């Protein structure tokens, strides 16, 4: 299966879960994984002569994605939904989001 489809499905499932339980910012924790998938594609299909650079880039992107996901998870743990999502729901109505 195409990696883009996997990223889309993962984000769509996360968004549906978040909307169902009233925590739309759950998607923010999963979104950095998309960057890792893009880096994996670059690693897989990149210039064979640049293996060291591809490996370094993949490693740095993976570290960044893990750090960002953990940071958002810790910051949001036990807190109400992010005020921006709450404002969106107030402004446009819950049926739209």
């Amino acid at each position: 299966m195409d990696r883009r489809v996997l990223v889309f499905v993962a984000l769509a499932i996360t968004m549906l879960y978040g909307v169902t339980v009233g925590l739309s910012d759950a998607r923010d924790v999963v979104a950095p994984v998309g960057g890792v998938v893009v880096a994996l594609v670059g690693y897989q299909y990149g210039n064979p002569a640049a293996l060291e650079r591809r490996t370094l880039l993949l490693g740095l992107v993976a570290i960044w994605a893990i750090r960002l996901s953990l940071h958002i998870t810790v910051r949001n743990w036990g807190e109400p939904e992010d005020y921006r999502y709450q404002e969106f729901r107030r402004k446009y109505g819950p049926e739209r989001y």
Side-chain angles (χ1 to χ4, degrees), residues 24-25 27-28 72 75-76 80-92 97:
S24 296
D25 52 3
R27 185 200 68 79
D28 297 342
I72 293 171
R75 184 188 69 193
N76 292 346
E81 183 179 44
D82 188 286
Y83 72 92
R84 293 168 288 193
Y85 294 112
Q86 292 176 3
E87 179 64 27
F88 185 89
R89 201 172 282 113
R90 270 193 300 276
K91 188 174 182 179
Y92 297 106
Y97 191 53

PDB file of all heavy atoms in Angstrom, residues 24-25 27-28 72 75-76 80-92 97:
ATOM      1  N   SER A  24     -10.152  17.042  19.622  1.00  0.00           N
ATOM      2  CA  SER A  24      -9.661  17.125  18.247  1.00  0.00           C
ATOM      3  C   SER A  24      -8.161  17.314  18.167  1.00  0.00           C
ATOM      4  O   SER A  24      -7.559  17.074  17.124  1.00  0.00           O
ATOM      5  CB  SER A  24     -10.359  18.275  17.521  1.00  0.00           C
ATOM      6  OG  SER A  24     -11.733  18.011  17.436  1.00  0.00           O
ATOM      7  N   ASP A  25      -7.527  17.734  19.249  1.00  0.00           N
ATOM      8  CA  ASP A  25      -6.082  17.912  19.208  1.00  0.00           C
ATOM      9  C   ASP A  25      -5.323  16.591  19.315  1.00  0.00           C
ATOM     10  O   ASP A  25      -4.097  16.583  19.313  1.00  0.00           O
ATOM     11  CB  ASP A  25      -5.605  18.912  20.247  1.00  0.00           C
ATOM     12  CG  ASP A  25      -6.091  18.618  21.651  1.00  0.00           C
ATOM     13  OD1 ASP A  25      -6.755  17.592  21.853  1.00  0.00           O
ATOM     14  OD2 ASP A  25      -5.789  19.426  22.550  1.00  0.00           O
ATOM     15  N   ARG A  27      -5.075  14.604  16.965  1.00  0.00           N
ATOM     16  CA  ARG A  27      -4.389  14.528  15.683  1.00  0.00           C
ATOM     17  C   ARG A  27      -2.990  15.152  15.738  1.00  0.00           C
ATOM     18  O   ARG A  27      -2.079  14.729  15.053  1.00  0.00           O
ATOM     19  CB  ARG A  27      -5.225  15.246  14.615  1.00  0.00           C
ATOM     20  CG  ARG A  27      -4.657  15.131  13.226  1.00  0.00           C
ATOM     21  CD  ARG A  27      -5.188  16.217  12.312  1.00  0.00           C
ATOM     22  NE  ARG A  27      -4.740  17.543  12.646  1.00  0.00           N
ATOM     23  CZ  ARG A  27      -3.527  18.051  12.327  1.00  0.00           C
ATOM     24  NH1 ARG A  27      -2.665  17.333  11.696  1.00  0.00           N
ATOM     25  NH2 ARG A  27      -3.197  19.267  12.663  1.00  0.00           N
ATOM     26  N   ASP A  28      -2.834  16.144  16.583  1.00  0.00           N
ATOM     27  CA  ASP A  28      -1.546  16.830  16.678  1.00  0.00           C
ATOM     28  C   ASP A  28      -0.422  15.905  17.136  1.00  0.00           C
ATOM     29  O   ASP A  28       0.739  16.140  16.827  1.00  0.00           O
ATOM     30  CB  ASP A  28      -1.648  18.017  17.641  1.00  0.00           C
ATOM     31  CG  ASP A  28      -2.619  19.078  17.155  1.00  0.00           C
ATOM     32  OD1 ASP A  28      -2.952  19.067  15.949  1.00  0.00           O
ATOM     33  OD2 ASP A  28      -3.041  19.915  17.964  1.00  0.00           O
ATOM     34  N   ILE A  72       3.973  17.231  22.772  1.00  0.00           N
ATOM     35  CA  ILE A  72       2.549  17.562  22.675  1.00  0.00           C
ATOM     36  C   ILE A  72       1.736  16.663  23.602  1.00  0.00           C
ATOM     37  O   ILE A  72       0.796  17.120  24.267  1.00  0.00           O
ATOM     38  CB  ILE A  72       2.068  17.455  21.213  1.00  0.00           C
ATOM     39  CG1 ILE A  72       2.728  18.553  20.372  1.00  0.00           C
ATOM     40  CG2 ILE A  72       0.548  17.563  21.129  1.00  0.00           C
ATOM     41  CD1 ILE A  72       2.495  18.412  18.887  1.00  0.00           C
ATOM     42  N   ARG A  75       2.310  17.857  27.198  1.00  0.00           N
ATOM     43  CA  ARG A  75       1.691  19.165  27.388  1.00  0.00           C
ATOM     44  C   ARG A  75       0.169  19.069  27.490  1.00  0.00           C
ATOM     45  O   ARG A  75      -0.455  19.777  28.272  1.00  0.00           O
ATOM     46  CB  ARG A  75       2.068  20.090  26.227  1.00  0.00           C
ATOM     47  CG  ARG A  75       1.541  21.508  26.404  1.00  0.00           C
ATOM     48  CD  ARG A  75       1.764  22.333  25.181  1.00  0.00           C
ATOM     49  NE  ARG A  75       0.891  21.832  24.127  1.00  0.00           N
ATOM     50  CZ  ARG A  75       0.982  22.158  22.853  1.00  0.00           C
ATOM     51  NH1 ARG A  75       1.926  22.965  22.445  1.00  0.00           N
ATOM     52  NH2 ARG A  75       0.143  21.667  21.961  1.00  0.00           N
ATOM     53  N   ASN A  76      -0.430  18.183  26.695  1.00  0.00           N
ATOM     54  CA  ASN A  76      -1.894  18.093  26.640  1.00  0.00           C
ATOM     55  C   ASN A  76      -2.491  17.079  27.603  1.00  0.00           C
ATOM     56  O   ASN A  76      -3.709  17.036  27.761  1.00  0.00           O
ATOM     57  CB  ASN A  76      -2.346  17.745  25.224  1.00  0.00           C
ATOM     58  CG  ASN A  76      -2.085  18.865  24.246  1.00  0.00           C
ATOM     59  OD1 ASN A  76      -1.801  19.988  24.631  1.00  0.00           O
ATOM     60  ND2 ASN A  76      -2.158  18.547  22.967  1.00  0.00           N
ATOM     61  N   PRO A  80      -7.849  20.248  29.043  1.00  0.00           N
ATOM     62  CA  PRO A  80      -8.971  20.306  28.093  1.00  0.00           C
ATOM     63  C   PRO A  80      -8.446  20.475  26.669  1.00  0.00           C
ATOM     64  O   PRO A  80      -7.272  20.772  26.453  1.00  0.00           O
ATOM     65  CB  PRO A  80      -9.755  21.544  28.537  1.00  0.00           C
ATOM     66  CG  PRO A  80      -8.795  22.349  29.334  1.00  0.00           C
ATOM     67  CD  PRO A  80      -7.798  21.390  29.929  1.00  0.00           C
ATOM     68  N   GLU A  81      -9.338  20.301  25.740  1.00  0.00           N
ATOM     69  CA  GLU A  81      -8.983  20.446  24.327  1.00  0.00           C
ATOM     70  C   GLU A  81      -8.391  21.827  24.053  1.00  0.00           C
ATOM     71  O   GLU A  81      -8.777  22.814  24.674  1.00  0.00           O
ATOM     72  CB  GLU A  81     -10.242  20.239  23.483  1.00  0.00           C
ATOM     73  CG  GLU A  81      -9.993  20.284  22.003  1.00  0.00           C
ATOM     74  CD  GLU A  81     -11.267  20.048  21.212  1.00  0.00           C
ATOM     75  OE1 GLU A  81     -12.307  20.632  21.561  1.00  0.00           O
ATOM     76  OE2 GLU A  81     -11.213  19.287  20.258  1.00  0.00           O
ATOM     77  N   ASP A  82      -7.467  21.888  23.127  1.00  0.00           N
ATOM     78  CA  ASP A  82      -6.799  23.133  22.756  1.00  0.00           C
ATOM     79  C   ASP A  82      -7.837  24.220  22.444  1.00  0.00           C
ATOM     80  O   ASP A  82      -8.844  23.960  21.798  1.00  0.00           O
ATOM     81  CB  ASP A  82      -5.917  22.882  21.538  1.00  0.00           C
ATOM     82  CG  ASP A  82      -5.032  24.057  21.204  1.00  0.00           C
ATOM     83  OD1 ASP A  82      -5.560  25.058  20.678  1.00  0.00           O
ATOM     84  OD2 ASP A  82      -3.819  23.964  21.447  1.00  0.00           O
ATOM     85  N   TYR A  83      -7.567  25.438  22.904  1.00  0.00           N
ATOM     86  CA  TYR A  83      -8.530  26.528  22.761  1.00  0.00           C
ATOM     87  C   TYR A  83      -8.860  26.837  21.298  1.00  0.00           C
ATOM     88  O   TYR A  83      -9.965  27.283  20.986  1.00  0.00           O
ATOM     89  CB  TYR A  83      -8.031  27.794  23.461  1.00  0.00           C
ATOM     90  CG  TYR A  83      -6.886  28.484  22.756  1.00  0.00           C
ATOM     91  CD1 TYR A  83      -7.133  29.497  21.835  1.00  0.00           C
ATOM     92  CD2 TYR A  83      -5.573  28.118  22.983  1.00  0.00           C
ATOM     93  CE1 TYR A  83      -6.094  30.134  21.168  1.00  0.00           C
ATOM     94  CE2 TYR A  83      -4.529  28.738  22.328  1.00  0.00           C
ATOM     95  CZ  TYR A  83      -4.795  29.741  21.429  1.00  0.00           C
ATOM     96  OH  TYR A  83      -3.760  30.350  20.772  1.00  0.00           O
ATOM     97  N   ARG A  84      -7.918  26.586  20.382  1.00  0.00           N
ATOM     98  CA  ARG A  84      -8.183  26.874  18.968  1.00  0.00           C
ATOM     99  C   ARG A  84      -9.262  25.946  18.407  1.00  0.00           C
ATOM    100  O   ARG A  84     -10.117  26.373  17.635  1.00  0.00           O
ATOM    101  CB  ARG A  84      -6.900  26.759  18.155  1.00  0.00           C
ATOM    102  CG  ARG A  84      -5.892  27.841  18.529  1.00  0.00           C
ATOM    103  CD  ARG A  84      -4.571  27.546  17.956  1.00  0.00           C
ATOM    104  NE  ARG A  84      -3.991  26.407  18.683  1.00  0.00           N
ATOM    105  CZ  ARG A  84      -2.727  26.044  18.595  1.00  0.00           C
ATOM    106  NH1 ARG A  84      -1.912  26.686  17.798  1.00  0.00           N
ATOM    107  NH2 ARG A  84      -2.279  25.023  19.282  1.00  0.00           N
ATOM    108  N   TYR A  85      -9.220  24.685  18.800  1.00  0.00           N
ATOM    109  CA  TYR A  85     -10.256  23.753  18.349  1.00  0.00           C
ATOM    110  C   TYR A  85     -11.601  24.093  18.999  1.00  0.00           C
ATOM    111  O   TYR A  85     -12.653  23.990  18.369  1.00  0.00           O
ATOM    112  CB  TYR A  85      -9.866  22.314  18.675  1.00  0.00           C
ATOM    113  CG  TYR A  85      -8.654  21.844  17.915  1.00  0.00           C
ATOM    114  CD1 TYR A  85      -7.455  21.593  18.556  1.00  0.00           C
ATOM    115  CD2 TYR A  85      -8.697  21.655  16.540  1.00  0.00           C
ATOM    116  CE1 TYR A  85      -6.341  21.164  17.858  1.00  0.00           C
ATOM    117  CE2 TYR A  85      -7.594  21.230  15.830  1.00  0.00           C
ATOM    118  CZ  TYR A  85      -6.417  20.989  16.499  1.00  0.00           C
ATOM    119  OH  TYR A  85      -5.317  20.569  15.812  1.00  0.00           O
ATOM    120  N   GLN A  86     -11.573  24.490  20.264  1.00  0.00           N
ATOM    121  CA  GLN A  86     -12.808  24.886  20.938  1.00  0.00           C
ATOM    122  C   GLN A  86     -13.419  26.109  20.263  1.00  0.00           C
ATOM    123  O   GLN A  86     -14.634  26.174  20.059  1.00  0.00           O
ATOM    124  CB  GLN A  86     -12.535  25.183  22.410  1.00  0.00           C
ATOM    125  CG  GLN A  86     -12.169  23.972  23.216  1.00  0.00           C
ATOM    126  CD  GLN A  86     -11.815  24.317  24.648  1.00  0.00           C
ATOM    127  OE1 GLN A  86     -11.895  25.469  25.063  1.00  0.00           O
ATOM    128  NE2 GLN A  86     -11.417  23.317  25.411  1.00  0.00           N
ATOM    129  N   GLU A  87     -12.572  27.075  19.912  1.00  0.00           N
ATOM    130  CA  GLU A  87     -13.047  28.294  19.245  1.00  0.00           C
ATOM    131  C   GLU A  87     -13.640  27.962  17.877  1.00  0.00           C
ATOM    132  O   GLU A  87     -14.682  28.493  17.485  1.00  0.00           O
ATOM    133  CB  GLU A  87     -11.902  29.297  19.097  1.00  0.00           C
ATOM    134  CG  GLU A  87     -12.292  30.576  18.404  1.00  0.00           C
ATOM    135  CD  GLU A  87     -13.323  31.385  19.164  1.00  0.00           C
ATOM    136  OE1 GLU A  87     -13.375  31.269  20.411  1.00  0.00           O
ATOM    137  OE2 GLU A  87     -14.092  32.112  18.520  1.00  0.00           O
ATOM    138  N   PHE A  88     -12.982  27.074  17.137  1.00  0.00           N
ATOM    139  CA  PHE A  88     -13.494  26.654  15.829  1.00  0.00           C
ATOM    140  C   PHE A  88     -14.878  26.048  15.975  1.00  0.00           C
ATOM    141  O   PHE A  88     -15.795  26.358  15.212  1.00  0.00           O
ATOM    142  CB  PHE A  88     -12.522  25.646  15.208  1.00  0.00           C
ATOM    143  CG  PHE A  88     -12.895  25.233  13.815  1.00  0.00           C
ATOM    144  CD1 PHE A  88     -12.437  25.940  12.721  1.00  0.00           C
ATOM    145  CD2 PHE A  88     -13.706  24.136  13.587  1.00  0.00           C
ATOM    146  CE1 PHE A  88     -12.783  25.573  11.434  1.00  0.00           C
ATOM    147  CE2 PHE A  88     -14.053  23.754  12.302  1.00  0.00           C
ATOM    148  CZ  PHE A  88     -13.588  24.474  11.227  1.00  0.00           C
ATOM    149  N   ARG A  89     -15.047  25.192  16.981  1.00  0.00           N
ATOM    150  CA  ARG A  89     -16.334  24.533  17.187  1.00  0.00           C
ATOM    151  C   ARG A  89     -17.408  25.552  17.585  1.00  0.00           C
ATOM    152  O   ARG A  89     -18.553  25.461  17.150  1.00  0.00           O
ATOM    153  CB  ARG A  89     -16.188  23.450  18.256  1.00  0.00           C
ATOM    154  CG  ARG A  89     -17.272  22.424  18.190  1.00  0.00           C
ATOM    155  CD  ARG A  89     -17.047  21.248  19.110  1.00  0.00           C
ATOM    156  NE  ARG A  89     -16.062  20.346  18.528  1.00  0.00           N
ATOM    157  CZ  ARG A  89     -14.852  20.119  19.020  1.00  0.00           C
ATOM    158  NH1 ARG A  89     -14.461  20.674  20.128  1.00  0.00           N
ATOM    159  NH2 ARG A  89     -14.026  19.289  18.423  1.00  0.00           N
ATOM    160  N   ARG A  90     -17.037  26.531  18.415  1.00  0.00           N
ATOM    161  CA  ARG A  90     -18.000  27.567  18.801  1.00  0.00           C
ATOM    162  C   ARG A  90     -18.391  28.431  17.600  1.00  0.00           C
ATOM    163  O   ARG A  90     -19.543  28.782  17.422  1.00  0.00           O
ATOM    164  CB  ARG A  90     -17.401  28.467  19.889  1.00  0.00           C
ATOM    165  CG  ARG A  90     -17.651  28.009  21.298  1.00  0.00           C
ATOM    166  CD  ARG A  90     -17.307  29.094  22.302  1.00  0.00           C
ATOM    167  NE  ARG A  90     -15.925  29.516  22.265  1.00  0.00           N
ATOM    168  CZ  ARG A  90     -14.915  28.922  22.893  1.00  0.00           C
ATOM    169  NH1 ARG A  90     -15.162  27.826  23.598  1.00  0.00           N
ATOM    170  NH2 ARG A  90     -13.695  29.380  22.815  1.00  0.00           N
ATOM    171  N   LYS A  91     -17.403  28.757  16.782  1.00  0.00           N
ATOM    172  CA  LYS A  91     -17.638  29.654  15.662  1.00  0.00           C
ATOM    173  C   LYS A  91     -18.455  29.006  14.543  1.00  0.00           C
ATOM    174  O   LYS A  91     -19.349  29.615  13.975  1.00  0.00           O
ATOM    175  CB  LYS A  91     -16.297  30.135  15.109  1.00  0.00           C
ATOM    176  CG  LYS A  91     -16.400  31.212  14.063  1.00  0.00           C
ATOM    177  CD  LYS A  91     -15.014  31.727  13.693  1.00  0.00           C
ATOM    178  CE  LYS A  91     -15.102  32.836  12.677  1.00  0.00           C
ATOM    179  NZ  LYS A  91     -13.768  33.345  12.331  1.00  0.00           N
ATOM    180  N   TYR A  92     -18.133  27.743  14.222  1.00  0.00           N
ATOM    181  CA  TYR A  92     -18.758  27.094  13.070  1.00  0.00           C
ATOM    182  C   TYR A  92     -19.781  26.021  13.435  1.00  0.00           C
ATOM    183  O   TYR A  92     -20.447  25.481  12.551  1.00  0.00           O
ATOM    184  CB  TYR A  92     -17.680  26.479  12.167  1.00  0.00           C
ATOM    185  CG  TYR A  92     -16.758  27.513  11.592  1.00  0.00           C
ATOM    186  CD1 TYR A  92     -15.456  27.638  12.071  1.00  0.00           C
ATOM    187  CD2 TYR A  92     -17.186  28.380  10.595  1.00  0.00           C
ATOM    188  CE1 TYR A  92     -14.605  28.593  11.553  1.00  0.00           C
ATOM    189  CE2 TYR A  92     -16.337  29.341  10.076  1.00  0.00           C
ATOM    190  CZ  TYR A  92     -15.052  29.449  10.555  1.00  0.00           C
ATOM    191  OH  TYR A  92     -14.208  30.398  10.060  1.00  0.00           O
ATOM    192  N   TYR A  97     -17.624  19.977  12.437  1.00  0.00           N
ATOM    193  CA  TYR A  97     -16.293  19.490  12.800  1.00  0.00           C
ATOM    194  C   TYR A  97     -16.394  18.275  13.667  1.00  0.00           C
ATOM    195  O   TYR A  97     -16.836  18.220  14.731  1.00  0.00           O
ATOM    196  CB  TYR A  97     -15.544  20.621  13.478  1.00  0.00           C
ATOM    197  CG  TYR A  97     -14.089  20.367  13.681  1.00  0.00           C
ATOM    198  CD1 TYR A  97     -13.284  19.989  12.652  1.00  0.00           C
ATOM    199  CD2 TYR A  97     -13.533  20.506  14.933  1.00  0.00           C
ATOM    200  CE1 TYR A  97     -11.922  19.771  12.846  1.00  0.00           C
ATOM    201  CE2 TYR A  97     -12.207  20.302  15.139  1.00  0.00           C
ATOM    202  CZ  TYR A  97     -11.398  19.937  14.093  1.00  0.00           C
ATOM    203  OH  TYR A  97     -10.076  19.725  14.298  1.00  0.00           O
TER     204      TYR A  97
END
